[in-house]
Amino acid sequence: PLEPVFTTRDNGKTVFDLPESVYTDRYRNNSEEVSNRFSQNVETRIPIREVARKPNLEFADKLGRKQQFSLFITKHKEIASQLIQLYLDAPNLQQFVALAAYTKDRVNPVLFQYSYAVAIAHRPDTRTVPIPNISQVFPSNFIEPSVLQDARQEASVIAKSGNRSVLEIPANYTASDREDEQHLAYFREDIGVNSHHWHWHLVYPASGPMEVVNKDRRGELFYYMHHQLLARYNVERFCNRLKRTIPLSNLREAIPEGYFPKILSSINNRTYPARISRQQLSDVARPDGNIEISELERWRDRILAAIDQGYVEDTQGNRIPLDEVRGIDILGNIIEACNTLSVNNQFYGNLHNQGHTIISFAHDPDYRHLEDFGVMGDVTTAMRDPIFYRWHGFIDTIFNKHKALLPVYNNTQLGFEGINVTYVEARLGAPNARPNTLLTYWQRSSANLAAGLDFGPVEDENITATFRHLQNAPYTYTFNVTNSGPRRSGTCRIFICPKTDERNQPLRLEEQRLLAIEMDKFTVELMPGENTIRRESTDSSVAIPFERSFRAVGASYQPTAADDLARFRFCGCGWPQHLLLPKGKPEGMQFDLFVMISDYTQDAVQQLSNTPNDACSTAYSFCGLKDKLYPDKRTMGFPFDRRLPNDTLNELVGAFSNMAKTDITIKFNDRVIG
Ligand code: CUO
C-alpha cells in the first residue's frame, strides 16, 4: 500500500492547509519553523518528496501572484488547464504531492487552489482526499472584512486555549434599505449559496483536459443548475414583494443596479471593486485580453438563429439538430462556453463567460486604474451581486426559448398508467402541527474560519464566527398512491411553484413552470394497492446539510473512520439545506406543492459501472453523481422544462392521475432563533 502521504491531522485537515510560503526557497534553511508548525496536533508526519523533474512553470507567470484569478477569463482558464494537466500527469501519488508542494508557492494562490482541487477530484488515486471547503480556505471572499480584522486581533491577544469571544458577521452590511435589491442580500450573500456555486464549477470545469471536462450531460446541467438558481431567486423576490429580475438582454443600456461588495480579495487584500448605480458597460481592452460588446451580440444572434433553425453547425459545417434529448446539452456547452466541448467555439463564441468578464470590468475596462475585476469575475463571489441574476436571467431566456420550441409534452411522456396519487401533504415534525403549513425563520450559526487565516508560526485552530441565515423547520412529505397494476418502480418528483407574483396576481401555468423549484427526486417501489410514501425534507436530492456547506474539513468537524474521508470529496456541491424553502411571508404565502410519480422504465439510467455511489453524491439533482451518469434519463427539470398540454396546474393534475398538488403556506417568523 502507498505511504499515507495525504494523511490528516486530528482535525481532519490536509497538509495543504499550509500557510503560504512554507515551501519557498526563502524557508529552505529554516526547517525548524516549518516543522514547528506541524508538531502540534499531527497524527502522521508527512514526508514530502523532492519533485522528480522540476516542471517549467513559465506558462503560469502570465498570471501574477497578486492578481485575481478568474475562471471566466480565457487566458486564466488556459493557464489552469495546463496546471491541471501537469497534476494529472504525475505518475503516482507521491509525485503528485511533491509537485503540488513544489508549485504551491510558485503560482498564483487562487489558481493553485482551484487547479489542485480539480486534480484531486479527478485523479483515481486521490479518492480519499478531502477538498477543504472554499469558505474556509478563502474566508475573506465570503465575509465582511472587519470580522477578519477582529479575528486577527483576537488571535494575537488571546491564546487558542483562552476564552475567545465569538465573532459576529453582520447581516445586511452591503447596502441600506434605500436599495430595493438589499431585501435579497440574505440570499445573494449567503455563504452556503456562494460555496455551492464555487464547488459546482469545480466539479464541472469549462476547460481543461477532456477527462476532466467531458462529463455526462454537463452542458444540460449548466443550464439546469443555473435555471434553478434563477427560479429560486425570483420566487425569493416575490416573497419580498419584488418583481422578477429583468434579464440583461441589452448590454448597451446603463445598469441601474450598483453593487459595493465590501469583501476583500483573498490574495491582495484590496476590496473587490464596486460597480456604481447606472453604470454603462464598455468594451474591455486589458492585458489579459480584449472583449467587444459587439462580439457578444454577434454570438447571441448566431445562437438565437440556430435555435430558430433547430440545428447548430460544427466546424465542418455539419448540421447537428437541437432535438428534444441532446439539444439542451449541446446548447449548454456552446453558451457557457465550455471550449473543450462546444461544437464550434469560433462561430458561437464564449457568450456567458465573456458576459461575466465584461460586467466584472465595468469599472475599469481599459485597466487605466490598475483595478482587478469585480465580484462577477469570480465563481466564489459572483452570486453576491444582483447583476448575476440579470445576466443569468438573460442566459436562461435563451435556453428557455429552445425549450419552448420543442413539442408540448404528450400523454405518453407525462402519464403513468394505473398510478393514482390520492393524497399530498407536507407537515412539520412537531406534534399537532397543521398539515401544509411550513415555517422559516432566521438562525444564527457558527463556522470556523481558522483554515483560511494565517496568524503566524503558531497553529491556530479555533476562530469561530457566527452569522445569521434563513432556516426552515424540517418537515415530512406524505403521499398516498394507489397502484392498480403490478409491483413496479416510479420516480417521485417534488416541486413547489409560486401561485402569485409580487402583486398577488395569479400566475399562469406557463409562468409557473419556469419558476418551479425542484425540492426532491427519488425512486419509489409501488406495491399493488395502497402505498404510503414518506420522505423527510432533510433527505432532499437538491440540498446538502449545513455541516457540508460549512464544516467539511473544519476544526469543529472531525471525520471518523465510519464516515470515511471519501465522503468529503465533492461534498461542498449542493444547495444549502437552510435555503431549501423560500422565505415565504410573515402572514403566510401560498404555494402549490406538486408531486408526480413518473414511470421508472422511462427514467432509468444504465450506469456503466456498478460501484456504489460516492457517499457524497447526495445532491445529485444539481451536482450529478461522482464518476457516473446523471441518474435520471428524463431531461432535467421534467416535467416543467417544456410546455405542458394544460392551461393551469389544476387542469394538469386533473388530467394525469400520477400527479397531484396541494396548497401549502410558508410562514416566515422574523425572529432569530438559535
Ligand atoms: Cu455559474 Cu455564470 O456560471 O456563474
Side-chain angles (χ1 to χ4, degrees):
L2 284 163
E3 212 175 324
V5 190
F6 280 90
T7 190
T8 59
R9 303 183 205 184
D10 61 2
N11 61 9
K13 281 185 181 178
T14 67
V15 284
F16 288 102
D17 288 340
L18 292 177
E20 260 181 54
S21 299
V22 164
Y23 294 113
T24 49
D25 297 341
R26 199 149 74 80
Y27 285 82
R28 265 242 164 105
N29 299 325
N30 198 354
S31 55
E32 204 177 330
E33 185 187 343
V34 174
S35 66
N36 267 343
R37 286 196 66 113
F38 298 105
S39 57
Q40 300 169 18
N41 302 330
V42 177
E43 279 172 357
T44 313
R45 296 294 289 269
I46 299 150
I48 303 277
R49 304 277 162 97
E50 281 288 315
V51 271
R53 200 164 50 82
K54 292 207 170 108
N56 179 353
L57 295 174
E58 258 167 42
F59 66 89
D61 291 347
K62 287 178 228 137
L63 178 66
R65 293 283 320 275
K66 299 217 159 148
Q67 206 188 334
Q68 290 272 50
F69 165 75
S70 170
L71 281 176
F72 299 122
I73 296 177
T74 308
K75 203 158 125 191
H76 297 189
K77 275 197 303 188
E78 286 163 6
I79 295 171
S81 314
Q82 281 195 59
L83 191 57
I84 293 165
Q85 187 70 64
L86 199 66
Y87 293 149
L88 294 181
D89 289 346
N92 54 45
L93 192 55
Q94 278 147 357
Q95 276 308 307
F96 169 49
V97 177
L99 196 60
Y102 178 83
T103 48
K104 180 174 188 289
D105 279 337
R106 291 178 167 85
V107 303
N108 177 290
V110 185
L111 164 73
F112 168 80
Q113 185 61 33
Y114 171 75
S115 311
Y116 167 68
V118 171
I120 286 188
H122 293 90
R123 282 183 66 95
D125 53 4
T126 42
R127 280 205 80 87
T128 58
V129 177
I131 297 169
N133 187 286
I134 186 69
S135 64
Q136 297 177 322
V137 180
F138 297 126
S140 67
N141 282 9
F142 293 84
I143 61 176
E144 206 265 336
S146 68
V147 176
L148 297 181
Q149 214 177 335
D150 292 347
R152 290 201 173 85
Q153 179 100 14
E154 194 73 9
S156 67
V157 177
I158 302 171
K160 70 174 177 182
S161 51
N163 195 8
R164 287 184 182 161
S165 61
V166 172
L167 305 163
E168 197 173 312
I169 301 173
N172 287 324
Y173 61 87
T174 41
S176 70
D177 279 355
R178 187 175 292 237
E179 171 59 60
D180 277 348
E181 296 300 325
Q182 188 59 15
H183 294 300
L184 268 293
Y186 68 90
F187 181 99
R188 288 186 277 103
E189 292 165 4
D190 185 271
I191 301 176
V193 164
N194 286 283
S195 161
H196 159 66
H197 188 238
W198 184 83
H199 281 270
W200 190 91
H201 281 279
L202 180 76
V203 179
Y204 294 97
S207 67
M210 205 56 161
E211 73 238 59
V212 168
V213 177
N214 193 10
K215 302 217 169 80
D216 184 41
R217 295 166 74 181
R218 79 165 300 291
E220 183 178 11
L221 199 50
F222 171 80
Y223 142 75
Y224 183 63
M225 196 284 288
H226 290 87
H227 170 84
Q228 280 290 308
L229 296 183
L230 251 291
R232 286 181 166 272
Y233 181 69
N234 279 324
V235 169
E236 208 70 36
R237 293 178 71 89
F238 291 164
C239 300
N240 291 283
R241 298 189 168 78
L242 293 175
K243 61 176 191 269
R244 271 161 278 195
T245 187
I246 300 167
L248 186 67
S249 48
N250 184 349
L251 296 172
R252 299 188 186 264
E253 242 172 37
I255 298 171
E257 298 87 355
Y259 186 66
F260 289 70
K262 298 181 185 55
I263 48 168
L264 293 177
S265 143
S266 39
I267 53 172
N268 61 20
N269 227 29
R270 293 186 192 157
T271 52
Y272 275 89
R275 185 182 61 259
I276 56 164
S277 305
R278 293 175 293 283
Q279 174 76 61
Q280 194 93 35
L281 298 178
S282 311
D283 292 347
V284 169
R286 297 175 54 103
D288 273 341
N290 298 352
I291 312 158
E292 289 169 17
I293 293 176
S294 61
E295 282 180 284
L296 270 72
E297 292 168 335
R298 210 161 57 238
W299 297 331
R300 172 200 66 194
D301 292 343
R302 286 173 183 169
I303 293 164
L304 289 172
I307 290 171
D308 279 331
Q309 286 172 318
Y311 61 84
V312 291
E313 283 184 34
D314 69 12
T315 46
Q316 270 86 53
N318 299 314
R319 291 179 179 183
I320 306 168
L322 295 173
D323 62 23
E324 297 177 21
V325 180
R326 288 270 298 134
I328 189 72
D329 193 44
I330 293 166
L331 279 175
N333 288 327
I334 283 179
I335 292 171
E336 185 181 0
C338 171
N339 57 3
T340 312
L341 298 179
S342 168
V343 299
N344 195 338
N345 273 310
Q346 183 57 37
F347 191 66
Y348 298 111
N350 194 1
L351 180 60
H352 152 267
N353 293 332
Q354 295 292 51
H356 269 272
T357 307
I358 224 164
I359 293 166
S360 74
F361 286 127
H363 57 281
D364 191 18
D366 59 6
Y367 201 49
R368 75 178 61 200
H369 299 293
L370 308 177
E371 285 288 316
D372 249 312
F373 52 73
V375 290
M376 264 296 267
D378 188 340
V379 289
T380 36
T381 52
M383 289 188 72
R384 308 176 81 85
D385 188 334
I387 199 68
F388 173 92
Y389 304 88
R390 293 201 56 204
W391 179 239
H392 270 276
F394 166 66
I395 296 296
D396 201 44
T397 57
I398 304 180
F399 290 123
N400 293 338
K401 184 174 157 60
H402 157 69
K403 288 282 188 176
L405 289 175
L406 298 174
V408 173
Y409 272 127
N410 62 35
N411 292 0
T412 324
Q413 290 162 319
L414 294 175
F416 191 3
E417 196 59 42
I419 297 297
N420 192 356
V421 184
T422 55
Y423 182 73
V424 177
E425 175 196 284
R427 193 198 290 247
L428 299 186
N432 304 325
R434 245 195 259 162
N436 303 324
T437 300
L438 303 179
L439 181 67
T440 64
Y441 51 92
W442 297 122
Q443 186 174 47
R444 202 154 254 297
S445 297
S446 59
N448 196 306
L449 307 177
L453 301 178
D454 181 6
F455 298 115
V458 178
E459 180 68 19
D460 219 298
E461 304 288 1
N462 198 11
I463 305 288
T464 305
T466 72
F467 53 98
R468 193 198 73 171
H469 58 86
L470 191 66
Q471 181 59 286
N472 55 82
Y475 58 91
T476 310
Y477 303 100
T478 305
F479 309 123
N480 291 343
V481 182
T482 313
N483 176 7
S484 54
R487 178 182 170 162
R488 52 208 157 141
S489 303
T491 305
C492 185
R493 301 166 190 272
I494 308 174
F495 291 84
I496 59 174
C497 308
K499 291 167 91 75
T500 52
D501 67 9
E502 77 286 357
R503 296 165 305 140
N504 276 328
Q505 295 303 303
L507 296 164
R508 289 170 294 118
L509 177 58
E510 183 59 16
E511 294 172 289
Q512 279 190 301
R513 76 167 182 88
L514 292 172
L515 293 162
I517 295 177
E518 181 175 338
M519 300 301 286
D520 206 346
K521 179 163 70 178
F522 50 93
T523 310
V524 287
E525 277 301 302
L526 298 163
M527 299 299 165
E530 299 296 320
N531 294 264
T532 299
I533 298 167
R534 275 186 228 286
R535 176 86 167 176
E536 300 305 318
S537 61
T538 46
D539 289 336
S540 168
S541 65
V542 170
I544 56 172
F546 185 85
E547 288 69 25
R548 272 167 46 188
S549 287
F550 298 101
R551 293 184 195 140
V553 220
S556 55
Y557 189 87
Q558 299 194 11
T560 61
D563 59 0
D564 181 17
L565 280 172
R567 283 189 55 201
F568 298 102
R569 237 175 128 199
F570 268 129
C571 280
C573 189
W575 187 247
Q577 179 74 30
H578 61 265
L579 287 175
L580 181 68
L581 281 181
K583 186 172 157 204
K585 286 180 183 164
E587 68 274 23
M589 181 168 161
Q590 282 214 333
F591 291 85
D592 286 313
L593 171 63
F594 169 91
V595 60
M596 169 187 200
I597 314 266
S598 60
D599 181 352
Y600 187 71
T601 58
Q602 292 187 54
D603 306 335
V605 168
Q606 201 55 50
Q607 295 290 354
L608 304 172
S609 82
N610 46 20
T611 49
N613 289 349
D614 183 297
C616 234
S617 298
T618 55
Y620 49 82
S621 287
F622 285 4
C623 302
L625 295 175
K626 184 75 197 73
D627 303 325
K628 295 203 162 190
L629 302 177
Y630 192 81
D632 179 9
K633 191 151 52 145
R634 309 275 188 158
T635 45
M636 297 176 197
F638 175 78
F640 291 119
D641 63 321
R642 273 164 60 183
R643 288 173 301 143
L644 293 159
N646 308 83
D647 290 330
T648 66
L649 200 58
N650 272 328
E651 286 174 29
L652 178 76
V653 300
F656 295 94
S657 65
N658 58 321
M659 303 179 194
K661 55 146 284 201
T662 189
D663 290 349
I664 56 162
T665 302
I666 301 180
K667 281 198 164 195
F668 167 61
N669 184 350
D670 196 359
R671 280 183 32 217
V672 180
I673 299 169

